[in-house]
Amino acid sequence: MKTILFGLDGATYTVLDHMVAHGVMPNFKKFRDESTSCRLRSTPLPITPQAWTTLATGRSAGNHGMHDFLRYEPTQDGVYFRVNDYRTIAVETIWQYVSDRGKRVTVLNFFGTAPPPKISGHVMPGFVPPKHLRRSSHPSDLFAKLQHVDGFDVNVLGLDTNIEKMGLQKLDPDQWVEWIDLHIRREKAWYGILDHLMRTEPSDLTAIVFDGVDKIQHLAYRYMDPSTIPEKPLDWEKRVIERCKTYFKQVDDFLGAVVKSAGKWARIFIASDHGFTVTTEIVYVNKFLADNGYLTWRGEVAEDAKEAVFVDKLPNLVSAIDLKKTKAFAMTPSCNGIYINRQHLTPEEADKVRDELIEKLYKLKGPDGGLVVAEIKKREDWWPGPFTERAPDLTLTLRDHGLISILNGKSVVVPREEPAGTHHPHGVLLGRGPGIVEGQELEARDIIEVPQLLLHSLGLEIPGDYEGTFPTAFYEAEYLASDPPRKAEAPVAAAAASAAGATDEANLDEDEEAAIMERLRGLGYVE
Amino acid sequence: MSAQGGTATREGILAEVVKVLTELTEDWDVDFGAGLGADTRLVSDLSFESIDVVHFVTALEEHYGRRDLPFQDILMEDGKYVEDIRVGDVVDFLAKQFGAA
Ligand SMILES: [Zn+2]
């Protein structure tokens, strides 16, 4: 059956419900009433590249290899960054899989879809600067065809990293509205393409991500979460609140139009790659490492003054750290992690540094005396597979889910002047259409299971190496009996590893656990 | 079309790099003046930003069907990223990689 994935990067019920309560999203409200919905657990590192790629592959990041936006490779005397792209993904994507089975696929604005796969259908990638968007689209004449579409503007569709970074740091009040409006225009341009392609060259699987949800929430989350909205907003804050509502109203209009044009015989899934919450402090991890003797700056390094988690140019940071005199360092804020400088340490020394860091980090206190680090993930435990080493040695979950800063700070933990938005591991998943239970709310599911819903909806077999289990509760039992999900046999060698590593075992509910045991039993792993 | 296995010439590689670069910058808003050649500098002549270098490297990798070329050798010096690169430097690098005459 025709299937649509309506992606909302970073969407959370906290904000969506707030918008519904204020009458901003009537179409979403109706959609939720007619759908099965649940919270969606993101990948163990809840960020865009890892999470959307898991949704697009059915595999965990240790297997698909897309851990972060960048990956770094140590060189003789420094660090070389590679930007992750479609070629980073080591397993087959659903885009390719569906296309190979004779169906048409449209993929719009997803991270990591450039250089574009040569599928039957359309690919226009996200996170690509305007200057490179034409060449990064597939088929090669897609761009030319779309140029006549109302609102098509490559400078709006493409991602200007200099502008995007602004939303991740303190911004002057008069720039807020302008910045939110830019994202309103971008979404409109992307929707224009979606609408045009759905009408003129409809696909069996149509998938789009609206990433402004994430971008606007990073900046303006405190004006959308009922727990942080000021009681008496200033004039400029009132304008920001209005523009945020305008943004979500527009997304809601798009949803309404998509539901209408898809018709009755289609299924629509709304999914986010992660959720959002409020962050109230900044943790300067490299400052912590320097204070504790694990990192040596090259000379004086200026302290961050803009509450910026990003550095303007990553290479500047790299040259600011004296790697020859450094045992551990943080390289990108998005991976929230610490790398042990294994190049300059023996394996025993590296293990010792890691154990010491875990102990010290768990004792790290904020200015209020509270413990700051909620959880530390070791890469071999959370990202098993051929790409474990793309994860930092240690991944931190901070008490407020904040992203670490890789800059130097005046102290290790600094309260923010105003709260900002940060990723939360719980996003959203809703499904609506024939066979799906209406008005049902389920316990949280895992993002790794979403592609199983999509492939089943398209009438395709689910590859045997997909991790997680099919969320049968989405469907009426009677319907599912007539159209059961078909999963191929798992490749035998991989089955045990993937079943063990797929999900946080503490989070496994009994059904899932039983299903995994069942699968293992079927394969003869368990008596 | 791809220069591999030691059969390539430096002139051939230059022509290919210029072709890739021309395709890459086709609809950019920059004025090349004298046209692209070995002396063209990516940053000062073509207004490259670091993300453009990434896309240029990707385009070359795609052109040659190779992902194992150690571009860090020309993009980094003494542990730091270089400020600018000449097209000729890229050609020399590729010529060395392909063992060109
Ligand atoms: Zn995201």
Side-chain angles (χ1 to χ4, degrees):
Chain A
M1 184 175 298
K2 197 157 85 171
T3 302
I4 295 166
L5 173 63
F6 194 88
L8 296 175
D9 199 303
T12 168
Y13 289 119
T14 315
V15 171
L16 294 173
D17 288 349
H18 167 73
M19 294 295 169
V20 166
H22 284 76
V24 175
M25 302 189 79
N27 293 309
F28 178 76
K29 183 186 184 308
K30 184 163 185 285
F31 191 99
R32 197 170 183 183
D33 290 344
E34 293 168 355
S35 71
T36 286
S37 61
C38 61
R39 284 177 302 147
L40 189 62
R41 275 189 297 259
S42 185
T43 40
L45 176 67
I47 62 167
T48 297
Q50 182 164 143
W52 282 125
T53 304
T54 284
L55 187 147
T57 60
R59 308 299 310 275
S60 50
N63 290 305
H64 67 57
M66 180 77 89
H67 192 84
D68 193 356
F69 292 96
L70 303 169
R71 65 180 194 277
Y72 96 99
E73 283 167 19
T75 64
Q76 209 51 27
D77 41 23
V79 165
Y80 179 65
F81 287 99
R82 282 183 193 278
V83 176
N84 286 332
D85 61 24
Y86 192 77
R87 301 168 303 165
T88 307
I89 306 172
V91 297
E92 189 173 47
T93 60
I94 51 169
W95 323 127
Q96 190 70 56
Y97 179 84
V98 173
S99 168
D100 285 352
R101 275 146 195 84
K103 294 182 186 287
R104 187 145 73 182
V105 182
T106 297
V107 192
L108 301 174
N109 205 23
F110 276 78
F111 176 85
T113 47
K118 308 281 183 272
I119 56 171
S120 150
H122 322 96
V123 183
M124 195 179 280
F127 285 80
V128 171
K131 279 155 118 184
H132 301 283
L133 198 54
R134 177 185 52 80
R135 273 185 337 104
S136 302
S137 298
H138 168 81
S140 55
D141 64 346
L142 177 65
F143 214 73
K145 263 199 279 186
L146 293 172
Q147 267 170 337
H148 314 287
V149 173
D150 196 29
F152 187 92
D153 180 349
V154 64
N155 291 313
V156 174
L157 290 163
L159 193 90
D160 185 330
T161 44
N162 293 319
I163 293 175
E164 291 308 328
K165 270 189 309 207
M166 289 166 61
L168 294 171
Q169 60 195 37
K170 277 200 276 187
L171 208 60
D172 290 338
D174 56 344
Q175 289 179 298
W176 282 62
V177 166
E178 199 185 318
W179 197 83
I180 296 168
D181 281 353
L182 168 77
H183 287 93
I184 293 176
R185 288 200 303 278
R186 283 195 66 214
E187 308 300 47
K188 196 175 174 200
W190 280 103
Y191 175 74
I193 295 173
L194 174 75
D195 175 60
H196 177 81
L197 292 175
M198 279 180 73
R199 279 187 293 106
T200 58
E201 298 174 32
S203 282
D204 299 287
L205 173 61
T206 302
I208 187 166
V209 173
F210 293 104
D211 65 303
V213 182
D214 174 280
K215 303 291 163 45
I216 288 173
Q217 289 178 159
H218 269 294
L219 179 72
Y221 188 78
R222 67 179 190 265
Y223 299 112
M224 290 174 271
D225 180 330
S227 70
T228 51
I229 296 174
E231 265 176 52
K232 292 199 174 101
L234 304 170
D235 277 349
W236 75 270
E237 292 180 312
K238 282 183 194 157
R239 288 202 300 279
V240 168
I241 291 170
E242 274 319 301
R243 295 318 284 165
C244 290
K245 285 183 181 166
T246 304
Y247 174 86
F248 279 93
K249 168 81 175 65
Q250 181 179 254
V251 168
D252 192 68
D253 290 344
F254 298 160
L255 177 64
V258 166
V259 169
K260 202 172 158 204
S261 89
K264 214 174 145 197
W265 296 107
R267 292 196 190 95
I268 303 175
F269 294 91
I270 301 177
S272 66
D273 53 340
H274 49 78
F276 249 77
T277 187
V278 66
T279 169
T280 53
E281 62 195 9
I282 302 186
V283 178
Y284 293 95
V285 167
N286 283 332
K287 162 86 174 156
F288 165 86
L289 293 170
D291 287 356
N292 285 277
Y294 295 98
L295 180 146
T296 307
W297 300 106
R298 266 191 235 259
E300 285 288 304
V301 173
E303 290 165 4
D304 175 32
K306 286 196 288 191
E307 296 191 353
V309 284
F310 269 92
V311 276
D312 282 342
K313 281 193 176 124
L314 220 38
N316 296 352
L317 173 87
V318 178
S319 29
I321 298 174
D322 189 342
L323 286 169
K324 294 208 170 84
K325 296 181 192 155
T326 289
K327 291 179 182 164
F329 54 86
M331 267 292 143
T332 74
S334 46
C335 75
N336 252 29
I338 295 174
Y339 289 94
I340 310 293
N341 197 4
R342 293 180 181 274
Q343 266 212 311
H344 296 285
L345 297 169
T346 65
E348 293 74 31
E349 286 169 337
D351 286 347
K352 187 166 161 279
V353 167
R354 197 162 91 147
D355 291 344
E356 286 170 14
L357 283 176
I358 292 173
E359 204 187 318
K360 286 180 180 159
L361 283 163
Y362 271 133
K363 287 182 187 155
L364 175 64
K365 286 181 180 164
D368 62 340
L371 296 172
V372 168
V373 178
E375 187 180 18
I376 302 174
K377 292 175 173 151
K378 289 184 183 178
R379 61 183 176 190
E380 68 271 26
D381 296 340
W382 289 83
W383 293 276
F387 298 104
T388 302
E389 288 186 3
R390 291 208 179 148
D393 291 84
L394 300 173
T395 298
L396 312 185
T397 305
L398 302 175
R399 61 174 169 181
D400 68 349
H401 294 283
L403 293 173
I404 60 167
S405 173
I406 55 178
L407 304 174
N408 194 11
K410 59 177 183 287
S411 50
V412 175
V413 185
V414 178
R416 287 175 180 271
E417 278 177 34
E418 296 287 356
T422 188
H423 296 185
H424 188 277
H426 285 159
V428 306
L429 174 65
L430 304 93
R432 174 193 179 279
I436 297 177
V437 180
E438 284 187 26
Q440 172 185 233
E441 209 177 310
L442 296 176
E443 288 295 300
R445 303 295 310 196
D446 285 309
I447 192 166
I448 209 162
E449 299 168 341
V450 176
Q452 301 199 22
L453 282 169
L454 299 176
L455 294 182
H456 164 261
S457 175
L458 287 159
L460 296 174
E461 186 180 60
I462 296 159
D465 58 0
Y466 275 32
E467 301 163 48
T469 45
F470 183 85
T472 48
F474 263 69
Y475 284 87
E476 308 278 359
E478 208 176 320
Y479 174 83
L480 217 55
S482 68
D483 179 19
R486 294 173 290 128
K487 192 163 184 180
E489 291 257 314
V492 172
S498 80
T503 347
D504 172 13
E505 278 176 84
N507 282 341
L508 282 181
D509 66 39
E510 279 169 12
D511 273 352
E512 288 169 308
E513 201 151 20
I516 287 176
M517 291 304 281
E518 189 62 61
R519 226 169 86 200
L520 291 175
R521 202 168 286 127
L523 290 161
Y525 281 102
V526 182
E527 292 307 315
Chain B
M1 115 171 189
S2 65
Q4 291 187 33
T7 55
T9 63
R10 202 181 171 284
E11 289 69 34
I13 295 172
L14 175 63
E16 288 184 328
V17 171
V18 167
K19 184 168 163 280
V20 168
L21 199 52
T22 305
E23 222 276 310
L24 187 82
T25 58
E26 197 182 310
D27 42 13
W28 291 16
D29 211 7
V30 285
D31 188 6
F32 304 147
L36 295 170
D39 289 326
T40 307
R41 287 165 301 170
L42 299 183
V43 176
S44 47
D45 294 333
L46 298 178
S47 312
F48 263 52
E49 296 178 60
S50 50
I51 190 72
D52 301 322
V53 177
V54 169
H55 281 268
F56 180 43
V57 167
T58 302
L60 288 170
E61 288 174 340
E62 292 285 282
H63 177 81
Y64 289 111
R66 297 270 299 263
R67 289 206 70 195
D68 57 343
L69 300 169
F71 277 98
Q72 59 267 38
D73 291 357
I74 46 163
L75 297 177
M76 298 187 80
E77 211 174 85
D78 300 331
K80 292 186 182 183
Y81 279 75
V82 295
E83 301 274 315
D84 207 343
I85 302 167
R86 281 171 63 257
V87 168
D89 298 337
V90 178
V91 174
D92 290 343
F93 163 75
L94 292 171
K96 195 175 139 203
Q97 294 302 317
F98 300 146

